[in-house]
Amino acid sequence: MKNELETSDAIVIGAGAGMSTSAGMTYDGERFEHYFSDFHKKYGIRDMYSGGFYPYNSPEEYWAWWSRQIMVNRYDVSAGKPYTNLLELVKGKDYFVLTTNVDHQFQLAGFDKKRLFYTQGDYGLWQCSKACHDKTYDNEEVVRQMVARQQDMKIPTELVPKCPVCGAHMTMNLRCDDTFVQDEGWYAAASRYDDFIRRHENTHILFLELGVGLNTPVIIKYPFWRMTAKNPNAVYACVNYGQALCPKEIAERSICLDADIGKVLEAIKS
């Protein structure tokens, strides 16, 4: 894989949840208990993912949960080692990142924002829960207030965010149903990604898939397989602990590593 990283004309990085897990951004276990033991005790919630869907008793409690989750996964955190190592490996190369992750780790690591497409949203953005208009809102200032001022798993009522257009409650800009808002920035990133793929259609391109599971394969995995099959100069590489696989049609031009992403990137870099 090191040779492909060095010799490819272009690199498309497709990153899923396994990338952040390798960076220590786990959603359960000790890290979850450290930040959410009170919610675990009261509601039996066992991980950050399921906690985001829990039907809390009030908006004040809902935002106590979410402000904490945003803070520990988006604002009160630094870039993980796998991300900084990956940037060192592709720096100076013609690359683009397609990711389903919403934790801002690529930007924290220093990746060029114009080379990133966050398809599923961002912990740092809110939207109208009714999607009455196609705009998202930066939430950092209010989230920090929510975390600082919450008591007994509730935020002050005056901090509950409301849509400035229709007055409905705000919600996270995360794709979980058909109300997900794709704002101007989302479409601009999608356009840049499409343009990148078009420009390198028949070149020696490396489709580097990192930590993409089988929950949402239609966004990264299946398109990477199809584009590799279509372009005889393309190479597909997959690093995924427990789920490193590819179709037989592209097996001769594929590198599948059943290993920890962080360890693989560290080994290539050194």
Side-chain angles (χ1 to χ4, degrees):
M1 195 165 81
K2 183 176 183 178
N3 181 63
E4 287 300 325
L5 283 166
E6 292 173 346
T7 61
S8 295
D9 297 320
I11 302 166
V12 183
I13 298 162
M19 182 75 175
S20 286
T21 299
S22 179
M25 304 278 286
T26 53
Y27 276 28
D28 55 9
E30 186 178 336
R31 186 168 182 262
F32 170 77
E33 283 296 329
H34 178 73
Y35 292 113
F36 294 100
S37 59
D38 49 353
F39 280 90
H40 172 65
K41 185 176 180 180
K42 182 174 182 178
Y43 291 116
I45 298 168
R46 295 183 178 276
D47 63 85
M48 293 187 215
Y49 181 79
S50 59
F53 293 95
Y54 194 90
Y56 296 104
N57 295 330
S58 67
E60 290 82 2
E61 205 163 15
Y62 172 89
W63 285 112
W65 167 278
W66 267 110
S67 60
R68 230 185 280 180
Q69 176 151 334
I70 297 165
M71 183 63 80
V72 303
N73 291 311
R74 174 70 162 75
Y75 296 128
D76 191 19
V77 66
S78 56
K81 195 71 182 298
Y83 287 91
T84 56
N85 281 344
L86 179 61
L87 179 60
E88 283 193 44
L89 291 170
V90 301
K91 192 176 287 185
K93 301 288 291 185
D94 196 4
Y95 73 85
F96 203 98
V97 176
L98 176 70
T99 182
T100 54
N101 295 345
V102 297
D103 53 21
H104 211 66
Q105 280 285 302
F106 281 103
Q107 274 142 296
L108 286 174
F111 281 79
D112 182 353
K113 187 178 179 180
K114 295 287 180 66
R115 293 175 178 268
L116 299 175
F117 181 20
Y118 282 80
T119 64
Q120 306 299 80
D122 188 323
Y123 275 143
L125 299 175
W126 285 339
Q127 65 167 75
C128 173
S129 60
K130 297 187 180 301
C132 77
H133 64 298
D134 294 335
K135 185 178 178 182
T136 57
Y137 298 84
D138 184 271
N139 62 31
E140 182 173 5
E141 183 180 347
V142 182
V143 163
R144 290 188 181 279
Q145 290 183 52
M146 288 177 172
V147 171
R149 296 176 60 190
Q150 62 181 253
Q151 293 181 332
D152 300 322
M153 296 186 295
K154 294 178 182 177
I155 65 162
T157 301
E158 65 266 24
L159 290 181
V160 173
K162 300 288 183 65
C163 173
V165 176
C166 73
H169 286 291
M170 297 292 268
T171 191
M172 300 299 298
N173 181 232
L174 303 175
R175 190 188 300 277
C176 56
D177 57 32
D178 59 6
T179 63
F180 176 70
V181 167
Q182 296 174 176
D183 64 5
E184 187 177 321
W186 191 97
Y187 284 108
S191 178
R192 288 192 293 269
Y193 174 66
D194 289 342
D195 181 62
F196 186 91
I197 294 298
R198 274 195 304 272
R199 285 191 290 109
H200 297 287
E201 199 166 14
N202 295 305
T203 64
H204 178 194
I205 186 168
L206 172 63
F207 291 99
L208 177 58
E209 181 189 301
L210 301 169
V212 177
L214 294 171
N215 287 335
T216 53
V218 297
I219 298 170
I220 296 173
K221 189 180 291 292
Y222 292 170
F224 277 20
W225 287 355
R226 284 196 298 270
M227 288 186 285
T228 302
K230 187 178 178 182
N231 177 3
N233 298 311
V235 172
Y236 168 74
C238 170
V239 186
N240 199 343
Y241 193 66
Q243 291 186 16
L245 68 158
C246 70
K248 65 179 186 300
E249 289 82 0
I250 62 170
E252 290 185 357
R253 290 184 285 116
S254 295
I255 303 163
C256 295
L257 302 178
D258 184 352
D260 179 83
I261 297 166
K263 291 179 180 177
V264 170
L265 295 177
E266 185 71 38
I268 295 173
K269 186 177 76 75
S270 56

